[in-house]
Every structure is written in structure tokens, then in C-alpha cells.
Amino acid sequence: MRFLIVINLAGKIAALLVGWGAPVVALALWFGPDLLLAYHIFVPSAQGLVRVHHRFSTGRREVWLTIDDGPDPEDTPKILALLAAHEAHATFFVIGENAAAHSELIRAIAAAGHEVGHHTHTHPLAWFWCATPSRVARELDDGLAALGAAGVNPTRFRSPAGIKNLWLGAALRARDLTCIGWSARGLERQGGDAATVAARATRGLAPGAILLLHEGPRVPAPIRVEAIRRVLEILQEQGYQCVVPGPEQLQN
Ligand SMILES: [Zn+2]
């Protein structure tokens, strides 16, 4: 992170020194490092600001199913039943506000042997990239408090839409939270039926993949739960088990 900031400041100073003598060069020096910084903030797989894990190592046909944006009173119980029917384990990256409203669902997820992860308190999409240190801290600590009240101490975090910011890495380290990305996602709001979404989420399927799907009202109604049902069927057909990997298995 320091490297990115130093590059950015150095570019600005160099641009001022070059000035109107060479305006094209000055503009490139001014905005070039901004583009580099934007890449590391907005591209989910970029590692410049926060170390993000996108795969895990395994010698077996295993994948990690992760379900974001819950808990949801309609979807979560159905998803828990599906996971039980497939003897699958998953991680639910939940939103703190939802967890506070439905702590019974957080307890049910944990009681069924699944992992509860942290997905911020309010799921900020518009301003998370430029959040101040105190807002980042509030997003993390309010979520931790909501989960703690339900008896859960998460060790893993997923950014909203994979967006990062300058302060996130240190804030996660201070709270012993590991940032988890994905290797494939369903992109439920990009159109298609449950089969299309499931095909996207299982594209390039290989041992150690991290699959990302969503629950709750932001998922289009016809594919809510159904896309996850179809993913579980595909995984079973192909002989994959859904596991929650240990910390030593995580890879970039
Ligand atoms: Zn989300």
C-alpha cells in the first residue's frame, strides 16, 4: 500500500515540476498513478492494498461455496436445508445489519456446522472505496458486534463487490480478519435463469475453487435459492464436495 501512495505522490510532484513545459507528460504523471491506485481499489483480484485469497490448496475434488448478503429470513432456511441434503459445508458472508435483525439465523447457520463470515455492517457500495479510517473501522466493528451478539467471532471478511480502500488492509489485520475473494461468481443480476447463473458460478471448475453466490431480495426472484440448488446439483454430478478450508490452505 505504501508503495502505491509513494508512487502516487511522486507522480503528482513530478507533474508539477514538468508543468506546462510538457503538458502531455505532466498529465500522464498526474493521472497515471491514479489509474494504478484505482485498479487496486476496484479490481477484486488486485492485491496491492489488501491480500485477497482467491483459491485454496487441496488434493481432493473440493470447492468452497460462499454465499453473500444474508442472512435472509426467506432464503437462509431453504439454503440450510439444501446444504444439509447435499452434505455440503459453506461460508455465509453476512451483512451486520441483517445479522442484527435475524440473530436466530446466524445461530442456525453456525449450529449446522457452517462458517459465518463478515461482509461489512451496511454493505456500502457507493463510498467504500473512499471511506475514511473511522468509517472503515465502524463498518468492521459494528458488524463484529452484531455477530458477537449472536455468539459468532468471524475470522474471514469479504469486501462488498470486492472493493477495497487505503485503510482496509490495516483495519482487517488489527481485527485478525482474512480477506477472501472468489475464483468464480454467479453474477445473479446480470441476467439469465438459474441454470445460466449456476453455469457462470461453476465455469472453469477445479479443485480449490471459491464459488460466490448470493441470497436475499437483491437476487432476482426466479433464481433466489434456485441458482444455489443448481450449483449443488452440478457439484454433486461432477463429484465435488463443498468444504470450508483451513487457514493454511488459502492461496492468492
Ligand atoms: Zn455483497
Side-chain angles (χ1 to χ4, degrees), residues 92-109:
F92 291 75
F93 283 100
V94 299
I95 298 169
E97 284 181 336
N98 295 350
H102 302 286
S103 58
E104 76 288 354
L105 292 175
I106 299 298
R107 291 195 183 88
I109 292 168

Side-chain angles (χ1 to χ4, degrees), residues 68-69 93 95 119 123 125 158-161 214 218:
D68 286 12
D69 293 1
F93 283 100
I95 298 169
H119 192 40
H123 206 269
L125 284 174
R158 176 169 280 148
S159 288
H214 292 87
R218 294 203 299 179

Side-chain angles (χ1 to χ4, degrees), residues 10 21 26 61 71 95 115 129 137 139 152 158 162 194 203 251-252:
R61 278 175 91 77
I95 298 169
E115 180 182 36
W129 68 275
E139 279 296 324
V152 167
R158 176 169 280 148
R203 189 181 294 157
Q251 296 178 324
N252 292 343

Side-chain angles (χ1 to χ4, degrees), residues 76-77 79-85 87-90 92 104-116 244:
T76 307
I79 294 167
L80 288 176
L82 277 176
L83 294 172
E87 295 180 7
H89 286 100
F92 291 75
E104 76 288 354
L105 292 175
I106 299 298
R107 291 195 183 88
I109 292 168
H114 305 293
E115 180 182 36
V116 178
V244 174

